[in-house]
Amino acid sequence: MTDPVTAATEPPADPEVPDVRALGARLSNWGRWGADDERGTTNLITPARIVEAAKLVRTGEVFDLGIPLDSDGPQPGGFRVNPIRLMSENGQEQELPGGLTWADDYVFMPLQAGSQYDALSHIHYDGRLYNGHPSRDVTSKGAQRCGIHTQANGITGRGVLLDIAGLNGVDWLPGGHLISPADLEEAERAHGVTVGPGDILLLRTGWWRKFTSDRDATAFMDTEPGLGLACAEWLRDRDVAVVGADNHAIEVVPGENKAGMFELHMVLIRDMGVTLAEILDLEALAASCAADGVYEFLYAGSPLKFTRAVGSPINPLAIK
Amino acid sequence: MTDPVTAATEPPADPEVPDVRALGARLSNWGRWGADDERGTTNLITPARIVEAAKLVRTGEVFDLGIPLDSDGPQPGGFRVNPIRLMSENGQEQELPGGLTWADDYVFMPLQAGSQYDALSHIHYDGRLYNGHPSRDVTSKGAQRCGIHTQANGITGRGVLLDIAGLNGVDWLPGGHLISPADLEEAERAHGVTVGPGDILLLRTGWWRKFTSDRDATAFMDTEPGLGLACAEWLRDRDVAVVGADNHAIEVVPGENKAGMFELHMVLIRDMGVTLAEILDLEALAASCAADGVYEFLYAGSPLKFTRAVGSPINPLAIK
Amino acid sequence: MTDPVTAATEPPADPEVPDVRALGARLSNWGRWGADDERGTTNLITPARIVEAAKLVRTGEVFDLGIPLDSDGPQPGGFRVNPIRLMSENGQEQELPGGLTWADDYVFMPLQAGSQYDALSHIHYDGRLYNGHPSRDVTSKGAQRCGIHTQANGITGRGVLLDIAGLNGVDWLPGGHLISPADLEEAERAHGVTVGPGDILLLRTGWWRKFTSDRDATAFMDTEPGLGLACAEWLRDRDVAVVGADNHAIEVVPGENKAGMFELHMVLIRDMGVTLAEILDLEALAASCAADGVYEFLYAGSPLKFTRAVGSPINPLAIK
Amino acid sequence: MTDPVTAATEPPADPEVPDVRALGARLSNWGRWGADDERGTTNLITPARIVEAAKLVRTGEVFDLGIPLDSDGPQPGGFRVNPIRLMSENGQEQELPGGLTWADDYVFMPLQAGSQYDALSHIHYDGRLYNGHPSRDVTSKGAQRCGIHTQANGITGRGVLLDIAGLNGVDWLPGGHLISPADLEEAERAHGVTVGPGDILLLRTGWWRKFTSDRDATAFMDTEPGLGLACAEWLRDRDVAVVGADNHAIEVVPGENKAGMFELHMVLIRDMGVTLAEILDLEALAASCAADGVYEFLYAGSPLKFTRAVGSPINPLAIK
């Protein structure tokens, strides 16, 4: 997501736009998996569903959905920078037994600099995290509740791609383009696939393709095509486990409510407990799906087990 | 692996121990996948083998094999430190539109601080990397050849666990304990499993369990139980794609040849092009395998796509 | 200072030991330089005193008081690590116009890893910083009040060395050895020097010399010889501007009050507003002073201008 | 300096421009302070000159010449980023004996991100550093010769400001504006000051003022007003110890020789062994000098003692 700190002062609420707190309350998953739950909708990925998902492996083709982690990434600087990797050893100037030489490297990076999961502790409001955990549990030492390490045993299951850009016949949808539930259902029909409980839903907007075309990090972060608030209810009805996309925030930016910001994040993460996967590269996967007409696959994308972190870099695999 | 820099002066070679250069030349995979190949034995993980591996998913149980990434890790300091994660935002002192609050974090870490893949550019000798690429291709800017990003589209396939510690009825094998091909074959017989082409072979020595018992990072790095040099030929005969273990270097430390160091690394990585997965937590997986008698599974463990890096942190999943 | 987090539960207060809150209230400098002041006793270093201090330069000898910043430093790991410096360029693999080659490096470090100033925002209690500023002004973004940048225009003035170890005829005083006001006055007499308003007082305990002898970082941080609580009043009477030492916390560790910790820090920093300079190397300076009998000099040691930081690495110069 | 990597292909040499190698050979200080010397012209700052410099302290006014170290600095990203400072503790969520609370912070930064010294190991050509030390002594582990730590015992002495922008009656000279020896001498006459042996010469071009006006980091780094190649000889004649400026590279950018880059760096650092101080804030000092007509002062600006580093952040003090 772009830097909330730069946000302007609040205009009056738009009566046409759902109130985020009312929407969140209506769609809430708090308590659904117990008062202590920290994982949210990834609980929907049951063993039985994983067994079914594995059956989707038919050709053995693998697609890696992570973007490269290096200084050419989509962070324009400011609240996040691109990863900085430095060599501590490069094999030169070594005199080791037996003539061994070796190399080693370090990285300094924001955990959400590139392809990433948002932990459920990443977004909060009104003093509460997902499942009612107090926001003050996110301290200078990290997330005492809902850290990304609580998702470490996942995330694998049935993946479904909805290629909204492809469906519209464009390389990418424009910044600010809102995707509606009707768009999602049209994609389902076109792709011959139905999104259901426990699915990892991947949305292609073309926004990453735009970045690889123009390398304009500021433009990548300033706006984007993405889901509108009405999609929250649709995702709740379908009981989706994870939502991923090739943009930086899943949702349309700027959002519908000019007096708010990242309101779909507020509902999905804090009220519904949905893990988001952002800044994915879906280009090769989408091309394959278009070629063979199969838009479902086994998804295997674990977070790194950073204790109490509010996010993790990822490189998920889609296996067809 | 422990810091090669601390190595002592060279004693004479032991005539009983294979010469690492002769062994490497005999087992070499250079040229096997073309003169430009940078991936080595992960080429053995073919689509057909992935399809077969997915059929091993029968119960939907998932085991995450990464260790926690935090300041309590197994690095004693020196050439590598444990990951240092710091919050850049914790949701406090924010006044954002709509009452949104958010948290974000950064990490500084050696890419091989915890559970990790060694890139094929990690280890070299006599001026050459895997496949004859010159060692000078590993520069202060990283690995121009055989960077970990060349493995980004993997690594998923058939995983096999050989629980050598369990077979010996101990929580962990002692430091310096050498595992032989005969030990591997005894484990195969006991577990009712056969290691074959393209497999991801995971070896449990108990060394990680020892660390979680005594939290002695220096002891974890100073010695370890692990494979002897004779296992290189066995791994070549079986055409294993990846070797992983719960110790820090796969191989026995100290090694057989007192005049050398990390000689199995030299052969496996530089001559055979085998990707290694180190410092895994195999405890829960081993307990499950012991309980149901099934020692094979779908393994899905992608590296992060760090461009030109010589390693990557990982959190692989074993799916049964 | 050592990690407060490891502190044990509280024993009852010792009636012989001053109550830190009563002591702090009595010695408080709050309001002395205005309600908005963020600099404390460095206000005592007036232009007139700087002019006088410059007259102490008689031989042109210079002593640098910073310790080396590298991986061999006194941090045992845990809450602080030693600085990690990595090359981003080393001049190799470059093809630049005119044959230029160049090198560049990065560092990752705790700002208080080595020789350092504590900012007045480093230590607080009962919800207040120095001068009554609220502790909540120190946020995840840094010190909104009393950041080290507020000291950037200093710190230069008259330096005075009191060599307590030398006076006792030992290489170093033992850990836990308490230095009293009587010790300070004995040193003044022996050295023929009087500590006065606006002075930068440097105390040699030998603790750094011990570290360079045994390289035992854990021992360096676990205990130390240093000032007792009674010295707070002495420092207030003399109106010292800055107190520096060759140990890690100026004060004796463990402290006099077994139910508290770093209580002299609490009084000096939070109540009196005294800037502390820790982990200095005073060996060469002390040898010079012993040789020529002159224990006063011009001190010039600016902090780096880290905005809102709670400390800064330093390399102060003593010019005789 | 700007990123040499982005430099274009070489046009033919300009016959009007001095040949950098001939110039360097003619002005070389190699061997002048012994074959092992690593410090170059800072050797010119003798004790006697320091005693004289201290006499320049007349009013006790202090000017800190470092720029703020934070995310708003002049690095546009790419080969260097601005410093990233993160809190590890902010005093919240602590329960320590006696009610102590404390804060601590870390920084990740290029050592040359802001106000800085170039170590003599920063720039080389034709395989040689200053004094003939081989360039290969700068390895992935740092500068084995001419590291910044060799300057740790300095740098203090007579400072002289030449305010070239002020003399021209402009807030800043334009990018690409070349300063000649005649300009330097005109400034000397106007300011009533003469630059001599062992001096720390500070040049004000106004370039930092421009940055604080427009906050355009890319513009700050792309070009700048600065010294032409002819000034090398002038600096050698005067036997200046250190040259500092308020721009990023001392020298005019783009340089005179379109086929080269940073050629004055090549001569000053590698051939003459002159330490450079870059990106200084000279605004307040210049205003004071203009007001009282005194352009000389005591300069005290030590580098941090980073072992084997090729540069160091600084915050020098000018004391009048």
Side-chain angles (χ1 to χ4, degrees):
Chain A
M1 33 176 271
T2 52
D3 186 354
V5 175
T6 62
T9 53
E10 303 190 21
D14 181 340
E16 301 290 304
V17 178
D19 176 75
V20 67
R21 283 166 177 79
L23 186 67
R26 186 154 53 85
L27 304 182
S28 170
N29 279 321
W30 291 15
R32 182 173 174 188
W33 295 285
D36 290 334
D37 181 58
E38 306 182 43
R39 298 182 56 235
T41 50
T42 57
N43 282 293
L44 293 165
I45 312 178
T46 58
R49 284 174 178 146
I50 291 172
V51 171
E52 288 308 303
K55 294 178 183 165
L56 299 173
V57 178
R58 294 167 184 133
T59 65
E61 285 172 288
V62 180
F63 302 89
D64 53 302
L65 309 181
I67 66 163
L69 295 176
D70 58 34
S71 59
D72 292 328
Q75 298 298 338
F79 85 122
R80 291 180 190 152
V81 297
N82 289 310
I84 298 174
R85 189 186 54 76
L86 298 165
M87 302 299 292
S88 56
E89 296 279 350
N90 65 7
Q92 300 168 4
E93 301 93 40
Q94 295 173 349
E95 297 193 18
L96 300 173
L100 173 77
T101 54
W102 69 294
D104 219 38
D105 38 22
Y106 276 68
V107 76
F108 179 75
M109 66 180 291
L111 290 175
Q112 301 187 31
S115 304
Q116 44 152 312
Y117 289 133
D118 288 351
L120 298 186
S121 46
H122 175 51
I123 296 290
H124 5 114
Y125 68 86
D126 295 352
R128 296 286 161 182
L129 307 182
Y130 163 70
N131 216 14
H133 300 303
S135 296
R136 68 172 177 271
D137 280 357
V138 184
T139 74
S140 61
K141 291 186 176 55
Q144 310 306 312
R145 304 303 295 263
C146 299
I148 198 63
H149 64 284
T150 63
Q151 306 286 3
N153 187 234
I155 294 170
T156 184
R158 180 187 184 232
V160 174
L161 174 71
L162 297 185
D163 181 359
I164 312 297
L167 208 65
N168 282 266
V170 295
D171 281 347
W172 56 82
L173 298 166
H177 179 95
L178 185 149
I179 297 169
S180 68
D183 295 325
L184 300 177
E185 293 182 0
E186 183 190 344
E188 281 183 306
R189 283 188 298 271
H191 296 344
V193 74
T194 303
V195 175
D199 282 357
I200 293 106
L201 172 61
L202 304 181
L203 298 162
R204 182 171 171 272
T205 68
W207 204 239
W208 178 249
R209 181 166 185 167
K210 176 176 179 296
F211 176 75
T212 59
S213 302
D214 64 19
R215 313 301 302 183
D216 185 338
T218 301
F220 184 76
M221 288 295 171
D222 274 0
T223 70
E224 67 179 24
L227 298 184
L229 282 170
C231 293
E233 182 145 17
W234 191 89
L235 294 166
R236 181 70 167 82
D237 288 345
R238 300 299 182 98
D239 252 349
V240 163
V242 173
V243 186
D246 60 350
N247 59 18
H248 68 268
I250 309 295
E251 67 190 280
V252 62
V253 176
E256 294 149 90
N257 180 5
K258 303 315 172 199
M261 66 186 305
F262 293 112
E263 294 202 329
L264 189 60
H265 265 67
M266 292 166 72
V267 175
L268 290 185
I269 292 180
R270 189 264 206 182
D271 296 306
M272 291 170 55
V274 179
T275 294
L276 306 184
E278 295 167 340
I279 317 184
L280 302 177
D281 180 348
L282 303 174
E283 296 306 295
L285 175 63
S288 162
C289 294
D292 67 8
V294 179
Y295 283 81
E296 59 181 354
F297 40 82
L298 176 63
Y299 172 102
S302 57
L304 292 182
K305 210 182 287 188
F306 285 109
T307 312
R308 291 186 291 279
V310 300
S312 173
I314 54 173
N315 178 28
L317 301 179
I319 312 168
K320 294 184 76 170
Chain B
M1 33 177 272
T2 52
D3 187 353
V5 175
T6 62
T9 52
E10 303 189 23
D14 181 342
E16 302 290 302
V17 178
D19 176 74
V20 66
R21 284 168 177 78
L23 186 68
R26 185 154 54 85
L27 304 181
S28 170
N29 279 319
W30 291 15
R32 182 173 174 187
W33 296 283
D36 289 334
D37 182 56
E38 306 182 43
R39 297 182 58 235
T41 50
T42 58
N43 282 293
L44 293 164
I45 311 178
T46 58
R49 285 175 177 144
I50 293 171
V51 171
E52 288 308 303
K55 293 178 184 165
L56 300 172
V57 178
R58 293 164 186 134
T59 65
E61 284 172 290
V62 181
F63 302 89
D64 53 302
L65 309 181
I67 66 163
L69 295 176
D70 58 34
S71 60
D72 292 328
Q75 298 297 337
F79 84 121
R80 291 181 190 151
V81 297
N82 289 310
I84 299 173
R85 189 187 53 78
L86 298 165
M87 302 298 293
S88 55
E89 296 279 349
N90 65 6
Q92 299 167 6
E93 303 91 39
Q94 295 172 348
E95 296 193 17
L96 300 173
L100 173 77
T101 55
W102 69 293
D104 219 38
D105 38 21
Y106 277 67
V107 77
F108 179 75
M109 67 181 289
L111 290 175
Q112 301 187 32
S115 303
Q116 42 148 315
Y117 288 133
D118 287 351
L120 298 185
S121 46
H122 176 51
I123 295 289
H124 4 114
Y125 67 85
D126 296 351
R128 297 286 161 181
L129 306 182
Y130 164 71
N131 215 13
H133 300 302
S135 296
R136 66 173 179 271
D137 280 357
V138 184
T139 74
S140 61
K141 291 185 177 58
Q144 309 307 311
R145 304 303 294 262
C146 300
I148 197 63
H149 64 283
T150 63
Q151 306 285 3
N153 187 236
I155 294 169
T156 184
R158 181 186 184 233
V160 174
L161 174 72
L162 297 185
D163 181 359
I164 312 297
L167 208 65
N168 283 265
V170 295
D171 281 346
W172 56 82
L173 298 165
H177 179 95
L178 184 149
I179 298 169
S180 68
D183 294 325
L184 301 177
E185 292 182 1
E186 183 190 345
E188 282 184 305
R189 282 189 299 273
H191 296 343
V193 73
T194 303
V195 175
D199 281 357
I200 293 107
L201 171 61
L202 304 182
L203 298 161
R204 184 172 170 273
T205 68
W207 205 239
W208 178 249
R209 182 166 185 167
K210 176 177 180 295
F211 176 74
T212 59
S213 303
D214 64 19
R215 314 302 300 183
D216 184 338
T218 299
F220 184 76
M221 289 295 171
D222 273 0
T223 70
E224 68 179 23
L227 297 184
L229 281 169
C231 293
E233 182 145 17
W234 191 89
L235 294 167
R236 181 72 168 81
D237 287 345
R238 300 299 182 96
D239 252 350
V240 164
V242 173
V243 185
D246 61 350
N247 59 17
H248 69 267
I250 309 296
E251 67 189 279
V252 63
V253 175
E256 294 148 271
N257 180 4
K258 303 315 172 196
M261 67 186 306
F262 294 111
E263 294 202 331
L264 189 60
H265 266 67
M266 291 167 71
V267 174
L268 291 185
I269 292 181
R270 189 264 207 182
D271 296 307
M272 290 169 57
V274 180
T275 295
L276 305 183
E278 296 167 340
I279 318 184
L280 301 178
D281 180 348
L282 303 174
E283 296 307 295
L285 175 63
S288 163
C289 294
D292 66 10
V294 178
Y295 283 81
E296 58 182 353
F297 40 83
L298 176 64
Y299 172 100
S302 57
L304 292 182
K305 210 183 289 188
F306 285 109
T307 312
R308 292 186 290 281
V310 300
S312 173
I314 55 173
N315 178 26
L317 301 179
I319 313 168
K320 293 184 77 172
Chain C
M1 30 176 274
T2 52
D3 187 355
V5 175
T6 61
T9 53
E10 304 189 22
D14 180 343
E16 301 289 303
V17 178
D19 176 75
V20 67
R21 284 167 177 77
L23 186 68
R26 186 153 54 84
L27 303 181
S28 171
N29 279 320
W30 291 16
R32 182 174 174 186
W33 296 284
D36 291 335
D37 181 56
E38 307 182 43
R39 298 182 56 235
T41 51
T42 57
N43 283 293
L44 293 164
I45 311 177
T46 58
R49 286 176 176 143
I50 292 171
V51 171
E52 289 307 303
K55 294 178 184 165
L56 300 172
V57 177
R58 295 166 184 133
T59 64
E61 284 173 290
V62 181
F63 302 89
D64 51 303
L65 310 181
I67 66 163
L69 296 176
D70 57 33
S71 59
D72 292 329
Q75 298 298 337
F79 85 122
R80 290 181 190 151
V81 297
N82 289 309
I84 299 173
R85 189 186 54 77
L86 298 166
M87 302 299 292
S88 56
E89 296 280 349
N90 66 6
Q92 299 167 4
E93 303 93 38
Q94 294 172 348
E95 298 193 16
L96 300 173
L100 172 77
T101 54
W102 70 294
D104 219 38
D105 38 21
Y106 276 68
V107 76
F108 179 75
M109 67 181 290
L111 290 176
Q112 301 186 33
S115 302
Q116 44 152 310
Y117 288 133
D118 287 351
L120 298 185
S121 46
H122 175 51
I123 296 290
H124 3 116
Y125 68 86
D126 296 351
R128 296 286 160 182
L129 307 182
Y130 163 70
N131 215 12
H133 300 301
S135 296
R136 67 172 178 271
D137 280 358
V138 184
T139 73
S140 61
K141 291 185 175 57
Q144 310 306 311
R145 304 304 293 262
C146 300
I148 198 63
H149 64 283
T150 63
Q151 306 285 5
N153 188 236
I155 292 169
T156 184
R158 180 186 185 233
V160 174
L161 174 71
L162 297 185
D163 181 358
I164 313 297
L167 209 64
N168 283 264
V170 297
D171 281 347
W172 55 84
L173 298 166
H177 178 95
L178 184 149
I179 298 169
S180 69
D183 295 325
L184 301 177
E185 293 182 1
E186 183 191 345
E188 282 183 306
R189 283 189 299 271
H191 296 343
V193 75
T194 303
V195 175
D199 282 357
I200 293 105
L201 171 61
L202 304 182
L203 299 161
R204 182 171 172 272
T205 68
W207 205 239
W208 178 250
R209 182 165 185 168
K210 177 176 179 294
F211 176 75
T212 60
S213 302
D214 64 18
R215 314 300 302 183
D216 185 338
T218 300
F220 184 76
M221 289 294 170
D222 273 359
T223 69
E224 69 179 21
L227 298 183
L229 282 169
C231 293
E233 182 144 16
W234 191 90
L235 294 167
R236 181 71 168 83
D237 288 345
R238 300 298 181 98
D239 252 351
V240 163
V242 173
V243 186
D246 61 350
N247 59 18
H248 69 267
I250 310 295
E251 67 189 280
V252 62
V253 175
E256 294 148 89
N257 180 4
K258 304 314 174 202
M261 66 187 305
F262 294 111
E263 293 202 332
L264 190 61
H265 265 67
M266 292 166 72
V267 175
L268 290 184
I269 292 181
R270 188 263 207 183
D271 295 307
M272 291 170 55
V274 179
T275 295
L276 306 183
E278 297 166 339
I279 317 183
L280 301 178
D281 180 349
L282 303 173
E283 296 306 295
L285 176 63
S288 163
C289 294
D292 67 8
V294 180
Y295 284 82
E296 59 182 355
F297 39 84
L298 176 64
Y299 172 101
S302 57
L304 292 182
K305 209 182 287 187
F306 286 109
T307 312
R308 291 187 291 280
V310 300
S312 173
I314 55 174
N315 178 28
L317 301 180
I319 313 169
K320 294 184 78 171
Chain D
M1 31 176 274
T2 52
D3 186 353
V5 176
T6 62
T9 53
E10 304 188 23
D14 181 342
E16 301 291 304
V17 179
D19 176 76
V20 67
R21 284 167 177 78
L23 186 66
R26 185 154 54 84
L27 304 181
S28 171
N29 279 320
W30 290 16
R32 182 173 174 188
W33 296 284
D36 289 335
D37 182 56
E38 307 182 43
R39 297 182 58 237
T41 50
T42 58
N43 283 294
L44 294 164
I45 312 178
T46 59
R49 286 175 177 145
I50 292 171
V51 171
E52 289 307 302
K55 295 178 183 165
L56 300 173
V57 177
R58 294 165 185 134
T59 64
E61 285 171 290
V62 181
F63 302 88
D64 52 303
L65 309 182
I67 65 163
L69 295 175
D70 58 33
S71 59
D72 292 328
Q75 299 297 338
F79 84 122
R80 291 181 189 151
V81 297
N82 288 309
I84 299 173
R85 190 186 53 78
L86 297 166
M87 303 298 291
S88 56
E89 296 280 348
N90 66 6
Q92 299 167 5
E93 302 93 37
Q94 295 172 348
E95 296 193 18
L96 300 173
L100 172 77
T101 53
W102 70 294
D104 219 39
D105 38 21
Y106 276 68
V107 76
F108 179 76
M109 65 181 291
L111 290 176
Q112 301 188 32
S115 302
Q116 43 149 314
Y117 289 134
D118 287 351
L120 297 186
S121 46
H122 176 51
I123 296 289
H124 4 115
Y125 67 85
D126 296 351
R128 296 287 160 182
L129 306 182
Y130 164 71
N131 215 13
H133 300 303
S135 297
R136 66 172 178 271
D137 280 357
V138 184
T139 72
S140 61
K141 291 186 176 56
Q144 310 306 311
R145 303 303 294 264
C146 300
I148 197 64
H149 64 283
T150 63
Q151 306 285 3
N153 188 236
I155 293 169
T156 183
R158 180 186 185 233
V160 174
L161 175 72
L162 297 185
D163 181 359
I164 313 297
L167 209 66
N168 283 266
V170 296
D171 282 346
W172 57 83
L173 298 166
H177 178 96
L178 184 150
I179 297 170
S180 69
D183 295 325
L184 300 177
E185 292 182 1
E186 183 189 346
E188 282 183 306
R189 283 189 298 272
H191 296 343
V193 74
T194 303
V195 175
D199 281 356
I200 293 106
L201 171 61
L202 304 182
L203 299 162
R204 183 172 171 271
T205 68
W207 204 240
W208 177 250
R209 182 166 186 165
K210 176 177 180 295
F211 176 74
T212 60
S213 302
D214 64 19
R215 314 301 302 183
D216 185 338
T218 300
F220 184 76
M221 289 294 171
D222 273 359
T223 71
E224 68 179 22
L227 298 183
L229 282 169
C231 293
E233 183 144 18
W234 191 91
L235 294 166
R236 181 72 169 81
D237 288 346
R238 300 299 182 98
D239 252 351
V240 163
V242 173
V243 186
D246 61 349
N247 59 18
H248 69 267
I250 309 295
E251 66 189 280
V252 62
V253 175
E256 294 148 271
N257 180 5
K258 303 314 173 200
M261 66 187 306
F262 295 111
E263 294 202 331
L264 190 60
H265 265 67
M266 292 167 71
V267 175
L268 291 184
I269 292 181
R270 189 263 206 183
D271 296 306
M272 291 170 55
V274 179
T275 295
L276 306 184
E278 296 167 340
I279 318 183
L280 301 178
D281 179 349
L282 304 173
E283 295 307 295
L285 175 63
S288 163
C289 294
D292 66 10
V294 179
Y295 283 82
E296 59 182 354
F297 39 84
L298 176 63
Y299 172 101
S302 57
L304 292 182
K305 210 183 289 187
F306 285 108
T307 312
R308 292 187 291 281
V310 299
S312 172
I314 54 174
N315 177 27
L317 301 180
I319 313 169
K320 294 184 77 171

